[in-house]
Amino acid sequence: MTVLGTGYLGATHAVCMAELGYDVLGLDVDAEKVARLSAGEVPFYEPGLEPLLRKNIESGRLRFTTSYPEVAGFGDVHFLCVGTPQKAGEYAADLRYVHRCIDELLPLLTRPCTLAGKSTVPVGTAERIADRIVNEAPAGNEIELVWNPEFLREGFAVEDTLHPDRLVIGVTSTRGEEIMRAVYAPMLAADTPLVVTDLATAQLVKVAANAFLATKISFINAMAEVCEVTHADVKKLSEALSHDTRIGGRFLHAGLGFGGGCLPKDIRAFMARAGELGVDQALSFLTEVDAINLRRRARMVDLARELLDDSVRHRRVAILGAAFKPDSDDIRDSPALDVASRLQRLGALVTVYDPAAMDNARTMYPHLTYAPSAVAAAGDADLVLHLTEWQEFREMDPAVLNGVVAHRNIVDGRNALDPQRWRDAGWHYRALGRP
Ligand code: UGA
């Protein structure tokens, strides 16, 4: 097998396919990334991935390259795992990496093989690739195209890949289905549900899943807005809702809202594609989902201002968390760094600490100040903002900060701290959506 693109999705997929016993060749155009992976080093933070990478490199089953001819010669199944970021200044997905990869690969495909798309793409992309295969690949009709969306979460990538809650495979022939059933035989033997669809449905499943998750988070955050003006408690509200198994408690945690490289850009790309297809009304609710999500960040800044007697200028604010979520060093569309930047623009003296995302944060947000620990970040702080719920922060004893901060003010942006504990330690504790 080959895996084209070794980002979060591709690197994990390559390692996990090797772990299942396949011979795997991963490709990336970034030679430095290929060198690091070949040396057994995962270029991003993902618990549990590095030991498996090393194990499978040592076994000889897993290699990495920058060479398309090598990939074309090696692979019976090629997994397309390149990124599809948001276009600058637009909602639509930027498909340049997908098409560049296809440009390189197709002319080299001279024997029967399968191309399995895993990248998150606007519906219709797979059909375009199918046309291109027939027109541009020497093996043309002997190449199967299947669409096999990926649902892994960062932080749980290995577990989600080896033990997925479902497999979705969009096919155009029974041959394509047979090949993918063989690829995933170990998972199917473990009774993983398999849904076989056409290409369009498989592409849509992925964006529909992320749209639903984003909607669920924004729903509870909309309730948080109502709780704030009625002095109700969104955490209790969410707990009460969660006992209704039709609703369920997962992705119902109110707080600073969603960020990352997937949910925000996927709902926007979905809206853009719906517009092109003339069904924009069907997804107009996602505009509101996005707006609710961004309003949480503005609310956090307002709350900070309120706690600092209406002026954040020259006041010290410690920010706990930079990653878009815990157990990740990914800072793409990070709510925490957005809030940090907004406060800094208002004149606050902001200091950020994160257990894993400091290097990425420093590169992308060089204007912010960083500290090597939570205690260091909190030095002389007038206000502490808890914005990414790392275990380290959830378990922190408030007493360790007592003698460090200038004023004991904390806002729990993730509703993950124990309010009583902080109040007992003499802190003024506030949270989003709670009295
Ligand atoms: C998301 C999906 O959960 C995966 O199923 C999907 O495969 C992936 O996108 C993708 O498209 O590749 P991920 O971006 O890793 O995974 O992150 P999530 O765990 O979904 O969290 C997204 C954001 O929502 C985070 O900022 C998190 O803090 C926030 N969140 C999550 C909440 O604010 N409340 C919740 O209840 C849950």
Side-chain angles (χ1 to χ4, degrees):
M1 290 178 185
T2 80
V3 175
L4 306 155
T6 57
Y8 289 92
L9 163 60
T12 308
H13 192 67
V15 169
C16 291
M17 288 299 107
E19 180 66 13
L20 289 181
Y22 296 112
D23 288 326
V24 181
L25 181 60
L27 173 136
D28 207 287
V29 290
D30 181 342
E32 193 200 319
K33 205 185 267 182
V34 166
R36 287 177 72 179
L37 286 164
S38 301
E41 191 191 328
V42 175
F44 49 86
Y45 181 93
E46 184 59 50
L49 188 57
E50 204 159 271
L52 278 194
L53 169 71
R54 293 200 170 154
K55 175 182 156 196
N56 285 287
I57 288 175
E58 276 159 27
S59 75
R61 282 195 299 271
L62 178 58
R63 291 184 297 119
F64 296 92
T65 182
T66 54
S67 162
Y68 273 97
E70 196 182 347
V71 156
F74 183 84
D76 297 311
V77 180
H78 302 283
F79 285 100
L80 178 67
C81 295
V82 296
T84 52
Q86 186 176 338
K87 271 187 191 166
E90 281 182 54
Y91 271 17
D94 184 349
L95 295 179
R96 89 175 77 169
Y97 305 111
V98 169
H99 287 297
R100 260 187 218 160
C101 180
I102 298 293
D103 288 344
E104 296 279 346
L105 184 68
L106 292 190
L108 302 169
L109 296 180
T110 53
R111 63 180 173 87
C113 61
T114 299
L115 180 59
K118 287 188 93 60
S119 304
T120 302
V121 292
V123 58
T125 306
E127 292 78 352
R128 253 181 87 191
I129 295 174
D131 288 343
R132 293 194 56 186
I133 288 175
V134 175
N135 294 323
E136 297 170 40
N141 290 326
E142 293 173 312
I143 298 171
E144 285 292 337
L145 176 70
V146 301
W147 213 261
N148 171 215
E150 178 59 55
F151 305 101
L152 68 80
R153 297 158 298 165
E154 288 176 23
F156 301 89
V158 173
E159 172 65 16
D160 286 353
T161 306
L162 289 176
H163 307 284
D165 50 13
R166 82 287 213 186
L167 288 164
V168 176
I169 299 166
V171 298
T172 56
S173 72
T174 47
R175 174 98 185 106
E177 179 180 340
E178 279 163 18
I179 291 167
M180 294 312 282
R181 278 183 182 273
V183 165
Y184 290 122
M187 292 158 191
L188 297 176
D191 288 335
T192 304
L194 167 69
V195 184
V196 180
T197 73
D198 49 63
L199 291 179
T201 308
Q203 294 164 86
L204 276 174
V205 169
K206 169 68 195 199
V207 281
N210 278 358
F212 190 86
L213 294 172
T215 303
K216 212 173 166 191
I217 298 168
S218 277
F219 172 82
I220 201 64
N221 282 334
M223 295 305 109
E225 288 189 32
V226 180
C227 285
E228 275 155 20
V229 295
T230 53
H231 310 290
D233 184 337
V234 75
K235 194 144 173 156
K236 285 281 169 203
L237 179 91
S238 152
E239 184 191 338
L241 292 178
S242 74
H243 292 294
D244 184 332
T245 51
R246 294 170 305 175
I247 298 174
R250 295 179 71 189
F251 275 69
L252 212 55
H253 302 293
L256 196 53
F258 57 83
C262 302
L263 262 43
K265 66 107 175 151
D266 285 355
I267 61 168
R268 291 173 194 152
F270 199 12
M271 284 188 268
R273 185 65 184 135
E276 288 168 6
L277 294 166
V279 285
D280 37 338
Q281 264 194 326
L283 297 189
S284 58
F285 73 97
L286 288 178
T287 310
E288 204 50 51
V289 166
D290 203 6
I292 293 165
N293 193 51
L294 297 177
R295 272 208 302 275
R296 291 287 76 191
R297 303 177 187 186
R299 168 69 183 147
M300 176 56 79
V301 172
D302 285 347
L303 203 49
R305 200 190 269 134
E306 196 184 310
L307 284 166
L308 294 172
D309 306 320
D310 273 344
S311 172
V312 298
R313 217 174 145 64
H314 300 316
R315 307 298 296 278
R316 292 190 185 278
V317 181
I319 307 271
L320 303 185
F324 84 102
K325 68 172 188 179
D327 295 321
S328 170
D329 65 353
D330 195 343
I331 55 152
R332 286 176 293 173
D333 204 344
S334 161
L337 289 170
D338 189 10
V339 167
S341 299
R342 288 179 194 218
L343 284 169
Q344 196 188 49
R345 279 199 295 275
L346 293 172
L349 306 170
V350 173
T351 307
V352 179
Y353 166 70
D354 187 280
M358 298 286 273
D359 289 347
N360 287 342
R362 268 199 200 95
T363 308
M364 296 297 292
Y365 293 75
H367 53 282
L368 295 173
T369 304
Y370 297 90
S373 68
V375 171
D380 286 333
D382 297 301
L383 172 66
V384 176
L385 301 182
H386 173 239
L387 303 186
T388 311
E389 69 278 33
W390 284 91
Q391 192 175 357
E392 176 181 331
F393 304 144
R394 293 198 311 263
E395 290 176 351
M396 193 157 63
D397 181 352
V400 302
L401 297 186
N402 279 1
V404 173
V405 295
H407 296 101
R408 293 182 200 174
N409 287 317
I410 185 160
V411 184
D412 182 3
R414 292 293 176 182
N415 281 315
L417 305 177
D418 178 353
Q420 205 49 52
R421 206 167 165 218
W422 285 79
R423 285 178 180 140
D424 287 349
W427 285 71
H428 181 197
Y429 171 97
R430 293 288 297 271
L432 293 175
R434 305 186 78 184

